[in-house]
Structure formats: structure tokens, C-alpha cells
Amino acid sequence: MGVITQDAINAATCGTVLFINNIYNYIIDLNYKYKCNRNLPHKKAALFHFVGLTKPWHTWSIFYEECSPFKVAKLSSPWRDEPLISPRTKNNYKYAAKHLRFNGLYLKSIINYLQYKVMS
């Protein structure tokens, strides 16, 4: 069985969608942290939906308060001792470099950027 895409789900549910309060699906793109302060949680939410390439389980997301619920959940899970995921792909290195630079870790940022260029 193939993967169901969001487009297929949207087509199948056309006209039958129930929109609920965004407290139950609060969308966060951590990549906006180094661009601007919009699209980040400024209120309480029951569920955070992390979109974009940077996720709370990536090493370059450790700086952000928005990842706190993930950190709490991880510490109380069977995966508590598992390390966060380091950059592995070209795009991972690119985004890691941007977040590290934004958070003042310039040498680490340069190293990640060079790895990104090597993989390009």
C-alpha cells in the first residue's frame, strides 16, 4: 500500500473537515527563529506541530524554549538516554549552520557550513 499524501486526504475529506481550535495543532517552524519571531508559540497549546526541517530531536534545536515539552517527554521515555540526532544530510548541515550562527556558536556554524558545501 502506498503512502497517503496530504493532497489525497484533503480531496477525500472535501467539505467534511472540522476545524478545531489551534491549541490542539499549534504549528511551529523552528527555522523562523533565525528569521523572525512570528509563527512561534506565544500562548499555551495542547499539541505542538513542528513543521519544516528542524525538529526538537535535532541537536541544533536545543536552544529553543519551544522544544521544552519534547525534552520533558523524552526524559520520561524509554529513549531518555538516546542522543539527539546530529546533522546527516546536506540540508541538515545547512540548517544546523544557520541555527548555530544565530545562537552565537560561530565556529560550529562554520564547520557545519563547510560540511554542507562538501556535500553539495
Side-chain angles (χ1 to χ4, degrees), residues 34-46:
Y34 62 82
K35 295 177 184 176
C36 64
N37 240 359
R38 293 190 319 243
N39 194 23
L40 297 173
H42 298 287
K43 61 182 181 178
K44 292 186 178 188

Side-chain angles (χ1 to χ4, degrees), residues 9-73:
I9 293 170
N10 292 346
T13 61
C14 185
T16 61
V17 176
L18 173 64
F19 291 97
I20 58 175
N21 189 312
N22 70 354
I23 192 171
Y24 300 107
N25 188 24
Y26 200 88
I27 296 174
I28 302 170
D29 186 342
L30 291 172
N31 295 321
Y32 277 95
K33 284 299 271 191
Y34 62 82
K35 295 177 184 176
C36 64
N37 240 359
R38 293 190 319 243
N39 194 23
L40 297 173
H42 298 287
K43 61 182 181 178
K44 292 186 178 188
L47 296 172
F48 290 158
H49 182 173
F50 290 92
V51 298
L53 189 127
T54 302
K55 307 291 187 194
W57 47 88
H58 289 133
T59 56
W60 60 95
S61 72
I62 61 170
F63 311 100
Y64 307 120
E65 181 64 28
E66 293 80 12
C67 298
S68 303
F70 170 78
K71 292 173 190 172
V72 170

